[in-house]
Structures are given as structure tokens and as C-alpha cells.
Coordinates of all heavy atoms in Angstrom, one line a residue:
F1 N 6.2 -15.3 -12.4 CA 7.4 -14.7 -11.9 C 8.1 -14.0 -13.0 O 8.0 -14.3 -14.2 CB 8.2 -15.8 -11.3 CG 7.3 -16.7 -10.3 CD1 7.0 -18.0 -10.7 CD2 6.9 -16.2 -9.1 CE1 6.3 -18.8 -9.8 CE2 6.2 -17.0 -8.2 CZ 5.9 -18.3 -8.6
L2 N 8.8 -13.0 -12.6 CA 9.3 -12.0 -13.6 C 10.5 -12.7 -14.4 O 10.5 -12.4 -15.6 CB 9.9 -10.8 -12.9 CG 8.9 -9.8 -12.3 CD1 9.6 -8.7 -11.6 CD2 8.0 -9.3 -13.4
V3 N 11.4 -13.4 -13.8 CA 12.6 -13.9 -14.5 C 12.4 -15.4 -15.0 O 12.9 -15.7 -16.0 CB 13.8 -13.7 -13.7 CG1 15.1 -14.2 -14.4 CG2 14.0 -12.2 -13.3
G4 N 11.8 -16.2 -14.2 CA 11.7 -17.6 -14.5 C 10.5 -18.2 -13.9 O 9.5 -17.6 -13.6
N5 N 10.6 -19.5 -13.6 CA 9.5 -20.3 -13.0 C 9.6 -20.4 -11.5 O 9.0 -21.3 -10.9 CB 9.5 -21.7 -13.6 CG 9.2 -21.6 -15.1 OD1 8.4 -20.8 -15.6 ND2 9.8 -22.6 -15.9
R6 N 10.4 -19.6 -10.9 CA 10.5 -19.6 -9.4 C 10.7 -18.2 -8.9 O 11.0 -17.3 -9.7 CB 11.6 -20.5 -8.9 CG 13.0 -20.1 -9.5 CD 14.0 -21.1 -9.1 NE 15.3 -20.7 -9.7 CZ 16.4 -21.2 -9.5 NH1 16.5 -22.2 -8.7 NH2 17.5 -20.7 -10.1
V7 N 10.6 -18.0 -7.6 CA 10.8 -16.7 -7.0 C 12.2 -16.3 -7.1 O 13.1 -17.0 -6.7 CB 10.3 -16.7 -5.5 CG1 10.6 -15.4 -4.8 CG2 8.9 -17.1 -5.4
T8 N 12.4 -15.1 -7.6 CA 13.8 -14.5 -7.6 C 13.9 -13.2 -6.9 O 12.8 -12.7 -6.4 CB 14.2 -14.3 -9.1 OG1 13.3 -13.2 -9.7 CG2 14.1 -15.5 -10.0
L9 N 15.0 -12.7 -6.8 CA 15.2 -11.4 -6.1 C 14.4 -10.3 -6.8 O 13.8 -9.4 -6.1 CB 16.7 -11.0 -6.1 CG 17.0 -9.7 -5.4 CD1 16.6 -9.8 -3.9 CD2 18.5 -9.4 -5.4
A10 N 14.2 -10.4 -8.1 CA 13.4 -9.4 -8.8 C 11.9 -9.4 -8.3 O 11.3 -8.4 -8.1 CB 13.4 -9.7 -10.3
D11 N 11.4 -10.6 -8.1 CA 10.1 -10.8 -7.6 C 9.9 -10.3 -6.2 O 9.0 -9.6 -5.9 CB 9.6 -12.3 -7.6 CG 9.6 -12.9 -9.0 OD1 9.0 -12.3 -9.9 OD2 10.2 -13.9 -9.2
I12 N 10.9 -10.5 -5.4 CA 10.9 -10.1 -4.0 C 11.0 -8.6 -3.9 O 10.2 -7.9 -3.2 CB 12.0 -10.7 -3.2 CG1 11.7 -12.2 -3.0 CG2 12.1 -10.1 -1.8 CD1 12.9 -13.1 -2.5
C13 N 11.8 -8.0 -4.7 CA 11.9 -6.5 -4.7 C 10.6 -5.8 -5.2 O 10.2 -4.9 -4.6 CB 13.1 -6.1 -5.6 SG 14.7 -6.5 -4.9
L14 N 10.0 -6.3 -6.3 CA 8.8 -5.7 -6.8 C 7.6 -5.9 -5.9 O 6.9 -4.9 -5.5 CB 8.5 -6.3 -8.2 CG 7.2 -5.8 -8.8 CD1 7.3 -4.3 -9.0 CD2 7.0 -6.4 -10.1
T15 N 7.5 -7.1 -5.3 CA 6.3 -7.3 -4.4 C 6.5 -6.6 -3.1 O 5.5 -6.1 -2.5 CB 6.1 -8.8 -4.2 OG1 7.3 -9.4 -3.8 CG2 5.5 -9.5 -5.4
S16 N 7.7 -6.5 -2.7 CA 8.0 -5.7 -1.4 C 7.7 -4.2 -1.7 O 7.1 -3.6 -0.7 CB 9.4 -5.8 -1.0 OG 9.7 -7.1 -0.6
S17 N 7.9 -3.7 -2.8 CA 7.6 -2.3 -3.2 C 6.1 -2.1 -3.3 O 5.5 -1.1 -2.9 CB 8.2 -1.9 -4.5 OG 9.6 -1.9 -4.4
L18 N 5.4 -3.1 -3.7 CA 3.9 -3.1 -3.9 C 3.2 -3.4 -2.7 O 2.0 -3.1 -2.6 CB 3.5 -4.0 -5.0 CG 4.0 -3.7 -6.5 CD1 3.6 -4.9 -7.4 CD2 3.3 -2.5 -6.9
A19 N 3.8 -3.9 -1.6 CA 3.1 -4.4 -0.5 C 2.3 -3.3 0.2 O 1.2 -3.5 0.6 CB 4.1 -5.1 0.5
L20 N 2.9 -2.1 0.4 CA 2.2 -1.1 1.1 C 0.9 -0.7 0.3 O -0.1 -0.4 0.9 CB 3.1 0.1 1.3 CG 2.5 1.3 2.1 CD1 2.1 0.8 3.5 CD2 3.5 2.5 2.1
L21 N 1.0 -0.6 -1.0 CA -0.2 -0.3 -1.8 C -1.3 -1.3 -1.6 O -2.5 -1.0 -1.4 CB 0.2 -0.3 -3.3 CG 1.0 1.0 -3.8 CD1 1.4 0.8 -5.2 CD2 0.1 2.2 -3.6
F22 N -0.9 -2.6 -1.6 CA -1.9 -3.6 -1.5 C -2.5 -3.7 0.0 O -3.6 -4.1 0.1 CB -1.4 -5.0 -1.9 CG -1.4 -5.3 -3.4 CD1 -0.3 -5.0 -4.2 CD2 -2.6 -5.8 -3.9 CE1 -0.4 -5.2 -5.5 CE2 -2.7 -6.0 -5.3 CZ -1.6 -5.7 -6.1
R23 N -1.7 -3.3 1.0 CA -2.2 -3.3 2.3 C -3.0 -2.1 2.7 O -3.9 -2.1 3.6 CB -1.0 -3.4 3.3 CG -0.4 -4.7 3.3 CD 0.6 -4.9 4.4 NE 1.2 -3.7 4.9 CZ 2.5 -3.5 5.1 NH1 3.3 -4.4 4.8 NH2 2.9 -2.3 5.5
V24 N -2.8 -0.9 2.0 CA -3.4 0.3 2.5 C -4.3 1.0 1.4 O -5.3 1.5 1.8 CB -2.3 1.3 2.9 CG1 -2.9 2.7 3.3 CG2 -1.4 0.8 4.0
V25 N -4.0 0.9 0.2 CA -4.6 1.7 -0.9 C -5.5 0.9 -1.8 O -6.6 1.3 -2.1 CB -3.6 2.5 -1.7 CG1 -4.3 3.3 -2.8 CG2 -2.8 3.4 -0.8
L26 N -5.0 -0.2 -2.3 CA -5.8 -0.9 -3.3 C -6.8 -1.8 -2.7 O -6.5 -3.0 -2.3 CB -4.8 -1.8 -4.2 CG -3.7 -0.9 -5.0 CD1 -2.8 -1.9 -5.7 CD2 -4.4 0.0 -5.9
D27 N -8.0 -1.3 -2.5 CA -9.1 -2.1 -2.0 C -9.7 -3.1 -3.1 O -9.2 -3.1 -4.2 CB -10.2 -1.2 -1.4 CG -10.8 -0.3 -2.4 OD1 -10.4 -0.3 -3.6 OD2 -11.6 0.6 -2.0
A28 N -10.7 -3.8 -2.8 CA -11.2 -4.8 -3.7 C -11.7 -4.2 -5.0 O -11.5 -4.8 -6.1 CB -12.4 -5.6 -3.0
V29 N -12.3 -3.0 -4.9 CA -12.8 -2.3 -6.1 C -11.6 -2.0 -7.1 O -11.6 -2.2 -8.3 CB -13.6 -1.1 -5.8 CG1 -13.9 -0.3 -7.0 CG2 -14.8 -1.4 -4.9
E30 N -10.5 -1.4 -6.5 CA -9.4 -1.1 -7.3 C -8.6 -2.3 -7.8 O -8.1 -2.3 -9.0 CB -8.4 -0.3 -6.5 CG -8.9 1.1 -6.1 CD -9.0 2.0 -7.3 OE1 -8.2 1.9 -8.3 OE2 -9.9 2.8 -7.3
R31 N -8.6 -3.3 -7.1 CA -7.9 -4.6 -7.5 C -8.6 -5.2 -8.7 O -8.0 -5.9 -9.5 CB -7.8 -5.6 -6.3 CG -6.8 -5.1 -5.3 CD -6.4 -6.2 -4.3 NE -7.6 -6.9 -3.7 CZ -8.0 -6.5 -2.5 NH1 -7.5 -5.5 -1.8 NH2 -9.1 -7.1 -2.0
K32 N -9.9 -5.0 -8.9 CA -10.7 -5.6 -10.0 C -10.1 -5.0 -11.3 O -10.2 -5.7 -12.3 CB -12.2 -5.3 -9.9 CG -12.9 -6.1 -8.9 CD -14.3 -5.8 -8.8 CE -15.0 -6.7 -7.8 NZ -16.5 -6.4 -7.7
S33 N -9.6 -3.8 -11.3 CA -9.0 -3.3 -12.5 C -7.6 -3.7 -12.7 O -7.0 -3.4 -13.8 CB -9.2 -1.7 -12.6 OG -8.4 -1.2 -11.5
L34 N -7.0 -4.3 -11.8 CA -5.6 -4.7 -11.8 C -5.5 -6.2 -11.6 O -4.7 -6.7 -10.7 CB -4.8 -4.0 -10.7 CG -4.8 -2.5 -10.8 CD1 -4.2 -1.9 -9.5 CD2 -4.1 -2.0 -12.0
V35 N -6.3 -7.0 -12.4 CA -6.4 -8.4 -12.2 C -5.0 -9.1 -12.3 O -4.6 -9.9 -11.4 CB -7.4 -9.0 -13.2 CG1 -7.4 -10.5 -13.0 CG2 -8.7 -8.4 -13.0
N36 N -4.2 -8.8 -13.3 CA -3.0 -9.5 -13.5 C -1.9 -9.2 -12.4 O -1.2 -10.0 -11.9 CB -2.4 -9.2 -14.9 CG -3.2 -9.8 -16.0 OD1 -3.9 -10.8 -15.8 ND2 -3.2 -9.2 -17.2
L37 N -1.9 -7.9 -12.1 CA -0.9 -7.5 -11.1 C -1.3 -8.1 -9.7 O -0.4 -8.6 -9.0 CB -0.9 -5.9 -10.9 CG 0.0 -5.4 -9.9 CD1 1.5 -5.7 -10.3 CD2 -0.2 -3.9 -9.8
T38 N -2.6 -8.1 -9.4 CA -3.1 -8.7 -8.2 C -2.7 -10.2 -8.1 O -2.3 -10.7 -7.1 CB -4.6 -8.5 -8.0 OG1 -4.8 -7.1 -8.0 CG2 -5.1 -9.1 -6.7
R39 N -3.0 -10.9 -9.2 CA -2.7 -12.3 -9.3 C -1.2 -12.6 -9.1 O -0.8 -13.4 -8.3 CB -3.2 -12.9 -10.6 CG -3.0 -14.4 -10.6 CD -3.4 -15.0 -12.0 NE -2.7 -14.5 -13.1 CZ -3.2 -14.0 -14.1 NH1 -4.6 -13.9 -14.2 NH2 -2.5 -13.5 -15.1
Y40 N -0.4 -11.8 -9.7 CA 1.1 -11.9 -9.6 C 1.5 -11.7 -8.1 O 2.2 -12.4 -7.6 CB 1.8 -10.9 -10.5 CG 3.2 -10.7 -10.2 CD1 4.2 -11.7 -10.6 CD2 3.7 -9.6 -9.5 CE1 5.5 -11.5 -10.2 CE2 5.0 -9.4 -9.2 CZ 5.9 -10.4 -9.6 OH 7.2 -10.2 -9.3
F41 N 1.0 -10.6 -7.5 CA 1.4 -10.2 -6.2 C 1.0 -11.3 -5.2 O 1.8 -11.8 -4.4 CB 0.7 -8.9 -5.8 CG 1.0 -8.5 -4.4 CD1 2.2 -7.8 -4.1 CD2 0.1 -8.7 -3.4 CE1 2.5 -7.4 -2.8 CE2 0.4 -8.3 -2.1 CZ 1.6 -7.7 -1.8
V42 N -0.3 -11.8 -5.3 CA -0.8 -12.8 -4.4 C 0.0 -14.1 -4.6 O 0.3 -14.8 -3.6 CB -2.3 -13.0 -4.6 CG1 -2.8 -14.2 -3.8 CG2 -3.1 -11.7 -4.1
T43 N 0.3 -14.4 -5.8 CA 1.1 -15.7 -6.1 C 2.5 -15.6 -5.4 O 2.9 -16.5 -4.7 CB 1.2 -15.9 -7.6 OG1 -0.1 -16.0 -8.1 CG2 2.0 -17.1 -7.9
V44 N 3.1 -14.5 -5.6 CA 4.5 -14.4 -5.1 C 4.5 -14.3 -3.6 O 5.3 -15.0 -2.9 CB 5.3 -13.1 -5.7 CG1 6.6 -12.9 -5.0 CG2 5.5 -13.3 -7.2
V45 N 3.7 -13.5 -2.9 CA 3.8 -13.3 -1.5 C 3.3 -14.6 -0.7 O 3.5 -14.7 0.4 CB 3.0 -12.1 -1.0 CG1 3.6 -10.8 -1.6 CG2 1.5 -12.2 -1.2
N46 N 2.6 -15.5 -1.4 CA 2.2 -16.8 -0.8 C 3.2 -18.0 -1.1 O 2.9 -19.0 -0.7 CB 0.8 -17.1 -1.2 CG -0.2 -16.2 -0.6 OD1 -0.2 -16.0 0.6 ND2 -1.1 -15.6 -1.3
Q47 N 4.3 -17.7 -1.7 CA 5.3 -18.7 -1.9 C 6.0 -19.1 -0.6 O 6.2 -18.1 0.2 CB 6.3 -18.3 -3.0 CG 5.7 -18.1 -4.4 CD 5.2 -19.4 -4.9 OE1 5.8 -20.4 -4.9 NE2 3.9 -19.3 -5.4
P48 N 6.3 -20.3 -0.4 CA 7.0 -20.6 0.9 C 8.3 -19.8 1.1 O 8.6 -19.5 2.3 CB 7.3 -22.1 0.8 CG 6.3 -22.6 -0.3 CD 6.0 -21.4 -1.2
E49 N 9.0 -19.6 0.1 CA 10.3 -18.9 0.2 C 10.0 -17.4 0.7 O 10.7 -16.9 1.6 CB 11.0 -18.8 -1.1 CG 11.5 -20.1 -1.7 CD 10.4 -20.7 -2.5 OE1 9.3 -20.2 -2.7 OE2 10.6 -21.8 -3.1
Y50 N 9.0 -16.8 0.2 CA 8.6 -15.4 0.6 C 8.1 -15.4 2.0 O 8.4 -14.5 2.7 CB 7.6 -14.9 -0.4 CG 7.5 -13.4 -0.4 CD1 8.3 -12.6 -1.2 CD2 6.6 -12.7 0.4 CE1 8.2 -11.2 -1.2 CE2 6.5 -11.3 0.5 CZ 7.3 -10.6 -0.4 OH 7.2 -9.2 -0.4
L51 N 7.2 -16.4 2.3 CA 6.7 -16.4 3.7 C 7.7 -16.7 4.7 O 7.7 -16.2 5.8 CB 5.6 -17.5 3.7 CG 4.3 -17.2 3.0 CD1 3.4 -18.4 3.0 CD2 3.6 -16.0 3.6
K52 N 8.8 -17.4 4.3 CA 9.9 -17.7 5.3 C 10.6 -16.4 5.6 O 10.9 -16.1 6.8 CB 10.9 -18.7 4.6 CG 12.0 -19.0 5.6 CD 13.1 -19.8 4.9 CE 12.8 -21.3 4.8 NZ 13.9 -22.1 4.2
V53 N 10.8 -15.5 4.6 CA 11.4 -14.2 4.9 C 10.6 -13.4 5.8 O 11.0 -12.6 6.6 CB 11.8 -13.5 3.5 CG1 12.2 -12.1 3.8 CG2 12.8 -14.3 2.8
L54 N 9.2 -13.4 5.6 CA 8.3 -12.6 6.3 C 8.0 -13.1 7.7 O 7.2 -12.5 8.4 CB 7.0 -12.4 5.5 CG 7.0 -11.6 4.3 CD1 5.6 -11.6 3.6 CD2 7.4 -10.1 4.6
G55 N 8.5 -14.3 8.0 CA 8.3 -14.9 9.3 C 7.0 -15.7 9.3 O 6.4 -15.9 10.4
G56 N 6.5 -16.1 8.1 CA 5.4 -17.0 8.1 C 4.0 -16.2 8.1 O 3.0 -16.8 8.1
K57 N 4.1 -14.9 8.1 CA 2.8 -14.1 8.1 C 2.5 -13.7 6.8 O 3.2 -13.0 6.1 CB 3.1 -12.8 9.0 CG 3.3 -13.1 10.5 CD 3.5 -11.9 11.2 CE 3.9 -12.2 12.7 NZ 4.1 -10.9 13.4
P58 N 1.3 -14.1 6.3 CA 0.9 -13.7 5.0 C 0.5 -12.2 5.0 O 0.1 -11.6 6.1 CB -0.4 -14.5 4.7 CG -0.9 -15.0 6.0 CD 0.4 -15.0 6.9
I59 N 0.5 -11.5 3.9 CA 0.1 -10.1 3.8 C -1.4 -10.0 3.6 O -2.0 -10.7 2.7 CB 0.8 -9.4 2.6 CG1 2.3 -9.3 2.8 CG2 0.3 -8.1 2.3 CD1 3.1 -8.8 1.7
C60 N -2.0 -9.2 4.4 CA -3.5 -9.0 4.4 C -3.8 -7.9 3.3 O -3.2 -6.8 3.4 CB -4.0 -8.7 5.7 SG -3.8 -9.9 6.9
L61 N -4.6 -8.2 2.4 CA -5.0 -7.2 1.4 C -6.0 -6.2 2.0 O -6.8 -6.5 2.9 CB -5.6 -7.9 0.2 CG -4.7 -8.9 -0.5 CD1 -5.4 -9.5 -1.7 CD2 -3.4 -8.2 -1.0
C62 N -6.0 -5.0 1.5 CA -6.8 -3.9 2.0 C -8.3 -4.2 1.7 O -8.7 -4.6 0.7 CB -6.4 -2.6 1.2 SG -7.3 -1.2 1.6
E63 N -9.0 -4.0 2.8 CA -10.5 -4.1 2.7 C -11.1 -2.8 2.2 O -12.0 -2.7 1.4 CB -11.1 -4.5 4.0 CG -10.7 -5.9 4.5 CD -11.3 -7.0 3.5 OE1 -12.4 -6.8 3.1 OE2 -10.6 -8.0 3.3
K64 N -10.7 -1.7 2.8 CA -11.1 -0.3 2.5 C -9.9 0.6 2.4 O -9.1 0.6 3.3 CB -12.1 0.1 3.6 CG -12.7 1.5 3.3 CD -13.7 1.9 4.4 CE -14.2 3.3 4.1 NZ -14.9 3.9 5.2
A65 N -9.9 1.3 1.3 CA -8.7 2.2 1.1 C -8.6 3.3 2.1 O -9.6 3.8 2.6 CB -8.8 2.8 -0.3
A66 N -7.4 3.6 2.5 CA -7.2 4.7 3.4 C -7.6 6.0 2.7 O -7.4 6.2 1.5 CB -5.7 4.8 3.8
V67 N -8.2 6.9 3.5 CA -8.7 8.2 3.0 C -7.9 9.3 3.7 O -7.7 9.3 4.9 CB -10.2 8.3 3.3 CG1 -10.7 9.7 2.8 CG2 -10.9 7.2 2.6
Y68 N -7.5 10.3 2.9 CA -6.7 11.4 3.4 C -7.8 12.4 4.0 O -8.7 12.8 3.4 CB -5.9 12.1 2.3 CG -5.3 13.4 2.8 CD1 -4.2 13.4 3.6 CD2 -5.8 14.6 2.4 CE1 -3.6 14.6 4.1 CE2 -5.3 15.8 2.8 CZ -4.2 15.8 3.7 OH -3.6 17.0 4.1
T69 N -7.5 12.8 5.2 CA -8.3 13.9 5.8 C -7.5 15.1 6.1 O -6.5 15.0 6.8 CB -9.0 13.4 7.1 OG1 -8.0 12.8 8.0 CG2 -10.0 12.3 6.8
A70 N -7.8 16.2 5.6 CA -7.0 17.4 5.7 C -7.1 17.9 7.1 O -8.2 17.7 7.8 CB -7.5 18.5 4.7
P71 N -6.2 18.6 7.7 CA -6.2 19.2 9.0 C -7.4 20.2 9.0 O -7.7 20.8 8.0 CB -4.9 19.8 9.2 CG -4.1 19.6 8.0 CD -4.9 18.8 7.0
F72 N -7.9 20.4 10.2 CA -9.0 21.4 10.4 C -8.6 22.8 10.0 O -7.4 23.2 10.3 CB -9.5 21.4 11.8 CG -10.1 20.1 12.2 CD1 -9.5 19.3 13.1 CD2 -11.4 19.7 11.6 CE1 -10.1 18.1 13.5 CE2 -12.0 18.5 12.0 CZ -11.3 17.7 12.9
E73 N -9.4 23.5 9.3 CA -9.1 24.9 9.0 C -8.9 25.8 10.2 O -8.2 26.8 10.2 CB -10.2 25.5 8.1 CG -10.1 24.9 6.6 CD -11.0 25.6 5.7 OE1 -11.4 26.8 6.0 OE2 -11.4 25.0 4.7
E74 N -9.6 25.5 11.3 CA -9.6 26.3 12.5 C -8.1 26.3 13.0 O -7.6 27.4 13.4 CB -10.4 25.7 13.6 CG -11.9 25.7 13.2 CD -12.7 25.0 14.3 OE1 -12.1 24.4 15.2 OE2 -13.9 25.0 14.2
E75 N -7.4 25.2 12.9 CA -6.0 25.2 13.4 C -5.2 26.1 12.5 O -4.3 26.8 13.0 CB -5.5 23.8 13.4 CG -6.2 22.9 14.4 CD -5.7 21.5 14.4 OE1 -4.8 21.2 13.6 OE2 -6.3 20.6 15.1
E76 N -5.4 26.1 11.2 CA -4.6 26.9 10.3 C -5.0 28.4 10.4 O -4.1 29.2 10.3 CB -4.8 26.4 8.9 CG -4.3 25.0 8.6 CD -4.6 24.6 7.2 OE1 -5.1 25.4 6.4 OE2 -4.3 23.4 6.9
S77 N -6.3 28.7 10.7 CA -6.7 30.1 10.7 C -6.4 30.8 12.1 O -6.3 32.0 12.1 CB -8.2 30.2 10.5 OG -8.9 29.5 11.5
K78 N -6.1 30.0 13.1 CA -5.8 30.6 14.4 C -4.5 31.5 14.3 O -4.5 32.6 14.8 CB -5.7 29.5 15.5 CG -7.1 29.1 16.0 CD -6.8 28.0 17.1 CE -8.2 27.5 17.5 NZ -8.0 26.4 18.5
P79 N -3.4 30.9 13.8 CA -2.2 31.7 13.7 C -2.4 32.9 12.8 O -1.9 34.0 13.1 CB -1.1 30.8 13.2 CG -1.6 29.4 13.5 CD -3.2 29.5 13.5
A80 N -3.2 32.8 11.7 CA -3.4 33.9 10.8 C -4.2 34.9 11.5 O -4.0 36.1 11.3 CB -4.1 33.3 9.5
A81 N -5.3 34.5 12.2 CA -6.1 35.5 12.9 C -5.3 36.2 14.0 O -5.5 37.4 14.2 CB -7.3 34.8 13.5
A82 N -4.5 35.5 14.7 CA -3.7 36.1 15.8 C -2.7 37.1 15.2 O -2.4 38.2 15.7 CB -2.9 35.0 16.5
A83 N -2.1 36.8 14.0 CA -1.1 37.6 13.4 C -1.9 38.9 12.8 O -1.4 40.0 12.9 CB -0.4 36.9 12.2
A84 N -3.1 38.7 12.3 CA -3.8 39.8 11.8 C -4.2 40.8 13.0 O -4.2 42.0 12.8 CB -5.1 39.4 11.1
A85 N -4.6 40.2 14.1 CA -5.0 41.0 15.3 C -3.8 41.7 15.8 O -3.9 42.9 16.3 CB -5.6 40.1 16.3
H86 N -2.7 41.1 15.7 CA -1.4 41.7 16.3 C -1.0 42.9 15.4 O -0.4 43.8 16.0 CB -0.3 40.6 16.3 CG 1.0 41.1 16.9 ND1 1.1 41.5 18.2 CD2 2.2 41.3 16.4 CE1 2.3 41.9 18.5 NE2 3.0 41.7 17.4
H87 N -1.2 42.8 14.1 CA -0.8 43.9 13.2 C -1.7 45.1 13.3 O -1.4 46.2 12.9 CB -0.7 43.4 11.8 CG 0.5 42.5 11.6 ND1 1.7 42.9 11.5 CD2 0.5 41.1 11.4 CE1 2.5 41.9 11.3 NE2 1.8 40.8 11.3
E88 N -2.9 44.9 13.8 CA -3.8 46.1 13.9 C -3.6 47.1 15.0 O -2.9 47.2 15.8 CB -5.3 45.5 14.1 CG -5.8 44.8 12.9 CD -7.2 44.3 13.1 OE1 -7.8 44.5 14.2 OE2 -7.6 43.6 12.3

């Protein structure tokens, strides 16, 4: 824990900020390089005080990281093609 031997507001703020990363981005491969941070996060979010605030639901860690998929080029090129045809 950041400040002492029990969960404090500092721990709750930090782990709440990290929760989205651990749920969506940091898969098992990435967590291997962040052993201490992962241990800290899992320890804090599994404390009874923290679970009480979350309604008793533990945070599920990411199995596979989310992947960004760019929009199709066809959608972007349609307005450009229409504008080019209009100018001719």
C-alpha cells in the first residue's frame, strides 16, 4: 500500500485510475513485465474495503488486449471522390 499497511484514499485513487488499463489493455504478456505493479493492483482491488465500494464485484484482468482498427478507407475516400467529381 502506498502510505501505510492498509488501504488508503491514495491506493483507491491510483488503482481506480489503473483499472481501465488492467481490464482492457494490459494482457498477461504485458503484465509479466509489470510484476510489481500488477501485484500491487491485485492486492488492493481484492481488499474487503475496496470490494465493498465496488459492490463486491472483483475486477477481471484483461485476457487479450484491445486492438485499434482504423475505419475503412472506402468511407474516407467516398467524400473525397465525390468532391473531386463535383469539381470537374
